[in-house]
């Protein structure tokens, strides 16, 4: 199966290790970073969401209108707009991008962050709302006759959109989470299920949870699996590990100064979402796993989102990514700490290795299938 690479579409150069040098939305930097991804073999970039951050939808539209190939993953929280409005926004963006849009629905795992924009629902209520929201958006994308909706969270009458996506029957829906409620919602509704980078054995367990949830929802297919990492690469193993320790040192130094190191930073509070709790537990159990997984970056950020690293030479990191591919992961998300430089280096030195090895695996698999078919027919 083909492999895809997802990068980050940041609107400024700030990261956990370095404060941004300009405004929250830097038009030139946003385009420069996106172009670096397009020019160096990435398939798509994520426009993330934060309560006080620049709105990702117009930023995505700007990039879509300036670049020809790069696909867009747009993060969206259901609490910030009504689904009728959101569905039209997404369809318009799919038109602008000529069919390059995927929408990532975020339920929200932090009460404090959700409350910043007036969302007071409990976690379970948010998951129920997200499922209803996704179903409405899908129906709006694919329904050309007016319809009514009477749900737990949304009610409207005689609605029909006049703008539809380029992609038929609709754009893909992306979803993530590591709790039973997340598996149930994403297993039922997602085309792509997103996980944060964990050791191989734990990732395999999560994939099985997603498959079981999809089956329980009555699906005959399963979501594609995406896993996210923070690659730290250098020409030699020694240099890569020196870089890794410098990275953690920079994160800790910023925290000691009281700086907010992530968009959803909430002081030193313990994370509420299951995914972050899992990252912290994994870090407490050990620093190194499998071929190249390193947890101190996650520990230093308090399990803040995508924060486990893969450390080593490009060849080592590529082999580590292939281990996840062999588990059934076919979308690999990667984001460095020097956003522009790391996106360029990863695209130059890691992506070609992974693509070449995946092509070899696919060719071998096809050859075995041909031999099996010949033996059966013979």
């Amino acid at each position: 199966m083909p492999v895809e690479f997802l990068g980050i579409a940041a609107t400024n150069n700030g990261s956990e290790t370095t404060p941004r040098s300009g405004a929250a939305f830097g038009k030139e930097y946003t385009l420069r970073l996106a172009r670096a991804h397009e020019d160096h073999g990435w398939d798509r970039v994520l426009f993330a969401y934060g309560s006080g951050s620049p709105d990702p939808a117009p930023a995505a539209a700007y990039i879509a209108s300036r670049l020809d190939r790069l696909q867009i993953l747009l993060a969206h929280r259901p609490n910030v707009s009504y689904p009728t409005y959101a569905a039209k926004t997404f369809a318009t963006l799919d038109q602008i991008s000529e069919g390059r849009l995927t929408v990532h629905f975020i339920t929200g795992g932090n009460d404090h962050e959700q409350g910043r924009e007036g969302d007071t629902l409990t976690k379970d209520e948010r998951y129920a709302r997200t499922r209803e929201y996704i179903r409405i958006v899908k129906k709006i994308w694919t329904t050309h006759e007016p319809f009514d909706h009477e749900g737990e969270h949304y009610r409207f009458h005689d609605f029909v959109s006049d703008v539809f996506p380029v992609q038929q029957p609709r754009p893909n829906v992306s979803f993530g989470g590591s709790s039973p409620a997340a598996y149930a919602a994403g297993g039922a509704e997602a085309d792509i299920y997103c996980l944060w980078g964990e050791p191989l054995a734990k990732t395999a367990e999560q994939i099985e949870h997603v498959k079981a949830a999809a089956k329980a929802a009555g699906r005959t297919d399963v979501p594609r699996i995406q896993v996210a990492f923070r690659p730290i690469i250098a020409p030699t193993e020694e240099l890569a590990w020196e870089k890794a320790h410098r990275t953690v040192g920079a994160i800790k130094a910023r925290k000691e100064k009281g700086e907010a190191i992530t968009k959803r930073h909430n002081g030193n509070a313990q994370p509420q979402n299951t995914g972050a709790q899992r990252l912290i537990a994994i870090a407490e159990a050990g620093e190194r796993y499998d071929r190249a997984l390193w947890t101190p970056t996650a520990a230093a950020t308090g399990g803040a989102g995508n924060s486990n690293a893969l450390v080593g030479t490009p060849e080592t990191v590529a082999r580590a990514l292939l281990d996840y591919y062999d588990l059934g992961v076919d979308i690999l998300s990667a984001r460095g700490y020097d956003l522009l430089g790391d996106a360029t280096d990863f695209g130059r030195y890691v992506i070609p290795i992974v693509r070449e090895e995946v092509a070899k695996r696919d060719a071998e698999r096809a050859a075995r299938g041909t031999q099996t078919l010949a033996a059966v027919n013979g």
Side-chain angles (χ1 to χ4, degrees):
M1 58 184 174
V3 64
E4 297 181 8
F5 288 91
L6 169 70
I8 190 69
T11 59
N12 61 73
N13 64 350
S15 75
E16 295 93 331
T17 60
T18 310
R20 71 178 189 236
S21 60
F25 179 71
K27 187 176 178 181
E28 292 183 1
Y29 182 84
T30 302
L31 178 59
R32 186 182 177 194
L33 180 61
R35 182 167 284 136
H37 283 86
E38 182 170 87
D39 290 345
H40 292 93
W42 299 78
D43 296 284
R44 60 171 60 86
V45 288
L46 166 67
F47 284 83
Y49 191 94
S51 59
S53 302
D55 188 344
Y62 168 63
I63 293 303
S65 68
R66 298 297 297 271
L67 300 181
D68 298 324
R69 300 183 306 278
L70 194 65
Q71 297 176 53
I72 292 164
L73 178 59
L74 178 68
H76 180 76
R77 288 185 186 166
N79 61 292
V80 299
S81 67
Y82 217 70
T84 50
Y85 175 86
K88 293 185 297 180
T89 300
F90 303 148
T92 303
L93 183 51
D94 200 53
Q95 290 283 344
I96 292 170
S97 67
E98 298 181 330
R100 287 178 280 150
L101 176 70
T102 298
V103 181
H104 180 65
F105 289 93
I106 302 173
T107 297
N110 183 295
D111 292 344
H112 179 77
E113 168 69 4
Q114 294 298 123
R116 285 170 167 163
E117 294 188 284
D119 188 4
T120 59
L121 297 186
T122 66
K123 182 177 178 181
D124 287 344
E125 289 171 336
R126 291 199 297 266
Y127 274 112
R129 178 182 61 190
T130 300
R131 292 183 71 166
E132 183 179 347
Y133 197 100
I134 293 173
R135 289 169 181 166
I136 292 170
V137 169
K138 287 179 178 178
K139 188 169 183 179
I140 291 171
W141 281 342
T142 56
T143 301
H144 293 258
E145 298 296 331
F147 69 95
D148 300 339
H149 179 82
E150 293 281 347
E152 180 181 358
H153 297 279
Y154 303 102
R155 295 175 178 83
F156 55 85
H157 303 283
D158 199 38
F159 180 82
V160 63
S161 178
D162 196 32
V163 57
F164 291 90
V166 170
Q167 298 177 78
Q168 293 298 314
R170 58 171 178 78
N172 281 332
V173 165
S174 171
F175 188 90
S178 298
S179 67
Y183 298 140
E189 300 296 338
D191 303 295
I192 299 169
Y193 200 98
C194 307
L195 302 170
W196 289 332
E198 295 187 1
L200 289 164
K202 290 187 177 295
T203 300
E205 291 172 0
Q206 290 213 75
I207 292 173
E208 291 306 312
H209 287 312
V210 174
K211 290 180 178 179
K215 184 177 180 180
R219 293 178 61 169
T220 56
D221 64 335
V222 295
R224 298 173 65 195
I225 301 297
Q226 172 184 304
V227 177
F229 302 97
R230 307 301 294 270
I232 300 175
I233 62 173
T236 68
E237 295 293 327
E238 182 180 8
L239 289 173
W241 285 105
E242 289 177 1
K243 183 178 178 181
H245 289 289
R246 286 198 307 272
T247 298
V248 168
I251 295 171
K252 291 180 177 178
R254 291 196 65 198
K255 287 190 71 175
E256 289 171 0
K257 294 177 183 178
E259 298 179 17
I261 58 174
T262 71
K263 295 177 181 178
R264 289 164 290 280
H265 183 70
N266 186 23
N268 294 315
Q270 291 298 309
Q272 293 178 319
N273 69 84
T274 304
Q277 292 169 2
R278 288 174 64 99
L279 294 186
I280 291 174
I282 291 167
E284 289 175 346
E287 288 193 357
R288 296 181 66 169
Y289 292 86
D290 305 318
R291 195 185 298 271
L293 191 72
W294 196 56
T295 65
T297 46
T301 61
N306 172 22
S307 51
N308 268 340
L310 292 177
V311 182
T313 64
E315 292 77 13
T316 295
V317 171
R319 287 196 297 270
L321 292 170
L322 287 162
D323 290 338
Y324 287 89
Y325 176 82
D326 291 338
L327 284 183
V329 176
D330 66 338
I331 303 176
L332 300 168
S333 175
R335 171 165 55 100
Y337 293 93
D338 170 11
L339 300 179
L340 182 60
D342 288 344
T344 300
D345 287 346
F346 188 89
R348 283 176 174 166
Y349 304 119
V350 178
I351 289 178
I353 297 173
V354 176
R355 291 200 192 280
E356 182 179 355
E357 289 302 317
V358 166
K360 289 179 182 178
R361 283 164 164 76
D362 288 346
E364 291 170 357
R365 189 178 298 112
R368 288 195 299 270
T370 300
Q371 293 171 355
T372 301
L373 182 61
V376 171
N377 292 334

